[in-house]
């Protein structure tokens, strides 16, 4: 109830921030000039605003995007409003493990450090289709591509944290939609089963996978005593291109639920909070909403499920490698 009250009124939670807080407000006074940040899907929506604000705070931002024209346009917009901004665009298509591998290789070849990885890109409610590697599209894009990307960049993030003494951070963009998944959480026995496909539940499944992935990675990094945290966030409800497969439904929904919606400046706040705010130093394996820690679903907190998803994802990546 308190959650709904603060969502509607913007009343701040224990962190001092709330649903009305913008990304600029949550990062006020933060100096990120020693940080390099990769933002997947940073060419539009929440990712583009996260990129703009991270650059405003001095970070070197890499926009990882499949549409290079859009990525370069976003880069130009950021630089035109802030000539000191350090922004680069690099090609990444999360539907293709080959593209994920090339992106990681190209990034490592730049010799840049990597302090923060924001796994932001996503698709929602698409009709049944398979990725380049033959995996159901929402699971492949939202989870599997990010799982592989994170693993490929992990050494770089750990090494940067060790050499610089600055905590590395990984942020997974999940969603409140993780609550609406298949009954078993993840359909390990039929991830590509067309007859059981439900576009909404498949999205919820992929967003549950984002939290489970963050939690298991967080556990592994703590075991290694690596100076890298991993958290997941729900950004809020924001009208973006994400709704492209459900524009009419979402517009109708917004009429009845307008008080729950945010603008994109507010939508990027929780990502920026998790990625940059000093009060989260050492905080890992948590889920944030409206810039405050919240409990995710029981399935999302299930360690056995998280381990099972990790092993399953490793197998999928391995079996898809020949492409
Ligand atoms: N908006 C909301 O209400 C809401 C709510 C909860 C969670 N989220 C989460 O927030 C994140 C950002 O969403 P958004 O609302 O900002 O949507 P958006 O504007 O559509 O941004 C998503 C970005 O991901 C990119 N992308 C999609 N498929 C990709 C692929 N295969 N490879 C590389 N990039 C790809 C898109 O690029 P293209 O333009 O080329 O497709 C786009 O730039 C998503 O993870 C979403 O699930 C959003």
């Amino acid at each position: 109830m308190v959650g709904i009250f603060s969502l509607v009124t913007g009343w701040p939670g224990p962190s001092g921030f709330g649903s009305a807080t913008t990304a600029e407000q949550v990062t006020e006074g933060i100096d990120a000039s020693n940080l390099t940040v990769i933002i997947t899907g940073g060419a539009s929506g929440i990712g583009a605003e996260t990129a703009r604000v991270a650059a405003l705070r001095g970070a070197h931002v890499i926009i990882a995007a499949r549409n290079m024209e859009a990525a370069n346009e976003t880069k130009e917009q950021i630089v035109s409003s802030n000539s000191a901004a350090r922004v680069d665009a690099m090609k990444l298509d999360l539907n293709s493990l080959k593209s994920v591998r090339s992106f990681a290789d190209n990034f490592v070849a730049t010799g840049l450090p990597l302090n923060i990885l924001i796994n932001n890109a996503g698709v929602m409610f698409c009709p049944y289709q398979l990725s380049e590697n033959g995996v159901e599209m929402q699971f492949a894009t939202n989870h599997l591509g990010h799982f592989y990307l994170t693993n490929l960049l992990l050494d770089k993030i750990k090494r940067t944290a060790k050499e610089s003494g600055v905590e590395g951070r990984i942020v997974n963009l999940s969603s409140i939609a993780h609550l609406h998944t298949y009954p078993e959480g993840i359909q390990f026995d039929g991830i590509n089963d067309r007859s059981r496909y439900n576009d909404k539940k498949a999205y919820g499944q992929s967003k549950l996978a984002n939290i489970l992935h963050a939690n298991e990675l967080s556990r592994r990094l703590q075991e290694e005593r690596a100076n890298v945290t991993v958290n997941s966030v729900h950004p809020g409800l924001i009208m973006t291109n994400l709704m492209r497969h459900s524009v009419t439904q979402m517009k109708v929904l917004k009429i009845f639920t307008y008080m729950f919606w945010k603008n994109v400046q507010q939508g990027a706040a929780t990502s920026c909070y998790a990625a940059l705010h000093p009060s989260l130093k050492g905080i890992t394996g948590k889920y944030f909403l409206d810039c405050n820690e919240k409990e995710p679903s029981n399935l999302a907190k299930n360690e056995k499920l998280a381990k099972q998803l990790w092993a399953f994802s490793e197998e999928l990546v391995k079996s898809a490698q020949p492409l």
Side-chain angles (χ1 to χ4, degrees):
M1 203 55 200
V2 174
I4 291 180
F5 174 77
S6 68
L7 175 61
V8 174
T9 60
W11 197 262
S15 69
F17 305 111
S19 63
T21 304
T22 64
E24 281 201 25
Q25 287 166 343
V26 86
T27 56
E28 187 79 57
I30 291 175
D31 177 7
S33 56
N34 58 339
L35 305 177
T36 304
V37 184
I38 292 177
I39 305 171
T40 70
S44 66
I46 297 163
E49 176 64 1
T50 306
R52 186 188 72 78
V53 173
L56 185 67
R57 301 304 174 216
H60 183 178
V61 174
I62 315 294
I63 294 176
R66 64 174 164 181
N67 179 343
M68 287 305 284
E69 209 181 309
N72 283 318
E73 245 171 59
T74 301
K75 174 185 161 173
E76 274 163 35
Q77 275 167 17
I78 295 173
V79 175
S80 70
S81 66
N82 167 18
S83 59
R86 293 178 295 154
V87 186
D88 286 303
M90 288 177 68
K91 174 91 179 165
L92 167 71
D93 186 345
L94 291 156
N95 291 336
S96 153
L97 297 178
K98 197 170 153 197
S99 169
V100 174
R101 159 66 74 182
S102 318
F103 172 85
D105 288 348
N106 291 339
F107 178 77
V108 170
T110 64
L112 285 167
L114 180 58
N115 304 92
I116 299 172
L117 170 64
I118 305 184
N119 288 322
N120 163 86
V123 287
M124 184 174 83
F125 302 168
C126 30
Y128 182 87
Q129 53 189 303
L130 298 177
S131 71
E132 183 180 289
N133 305 95
V135 178
E136 185 279 308
M137 191 61 91
Q138 300 196 67
F139 189 80
T141 307
N142 300 353
H143 166 65
L144 196 64
H146 282 128
F147 173 83
Y148 188 42
L149 177 70
T150 308
N151 280 350
L152 292 174
L153 294 173
L154 206 52
D155 272 347
K156 180 54 124 181
I157 300 179
K158 287 196 279 193
R159 209 164 346 107
T160 302
K162 199 167 181 183
E163 286 166 4
S164 64
V166 178
E167 180 182 83
R169 293 190 184 182
I170 299 167
V171 180
N172 279 5
L173 271 275
S174 175
S175 168
I176 191 109
H178 79 272
L179 295 163
H180 183 66
T181 179
Y182 298 107
E184 65 274 49
I186 311 285
Q187 282 190 156
F188 294 116
D189 66 341
I191 203 75
N192 293 337
D193 187 343
R194 190 174 194 148
S195 66
R196 281 192 280 164
Y197 185 73
N198 173 293
D199 58 352
K200 314 284 183 298
K201 289 185 180 172
Y203 179 68
Q205 168 179 259
S206 72
K207 293 287 124 182
L208 171 66
N210 292 146
I211 305 181
L212 292 168
H213 169 224
N215 291 353
E216 175 59 14
L217 180 57
S218 163
R219 195 194 61 72
R220 286 169 179 245
L221 290 170
Q222 284 178 80
E223 216 170 76
E224 288 177 36
R225 299 184 170 276
N227 186 19
V228 179
T229 65
V230 196
N231 291 297
S232 39
V233 306
H234 166 61
L237 266 180
I238 307 103
M239 194 55 84
T240 63
N241 289 341
L242 190 72
M243 321 295 175
R244 69 184 67 164
H245 298 291
S246 54
V247 180
T248 314
Q249 268 169 290
M250 286 298 163
K251 283 192 174 157
V252 172
L253 181 72
K254 196 174 174 184
I255 294 170
F256 298 104
T257 58
Y258 66 92
M259 70 283 269
F260 298 133
W261 289 69
K262 295 179 176 183
N263 59 36
V264 83
Q265 291 81 4
Q266 295 163 335
T270 308
S271 301
C272 287
Y273 178 66
L276 295 171
H277 205 276
S279 70
L280 293 192
K281 189 167 172 15
I283 305 293
T284 186
K286 304 292 183 196
Y287 172 72
F288 294 88
L289 181 159
D290 296 337
C291 304
N292 283 278
E293 193 189 323
K294 287 278 171 342
E295 288 286 304
S297 69
N298 287 335
L299 282 170
K301 289 185 287 188
N302 185 325
E303 287 181 25
K304 199 171 150 229
L305 191 63
K307 286 190 196 337
Q308 205 180 346
L309 174 67
W310 189 281
F312 180 73
S313 307
E314 273 184 337
E315 264 323 299
L316 271 182
V317 168
K318 226 185 277 168
S319 61
Q321 278 305 322
L323 258 179

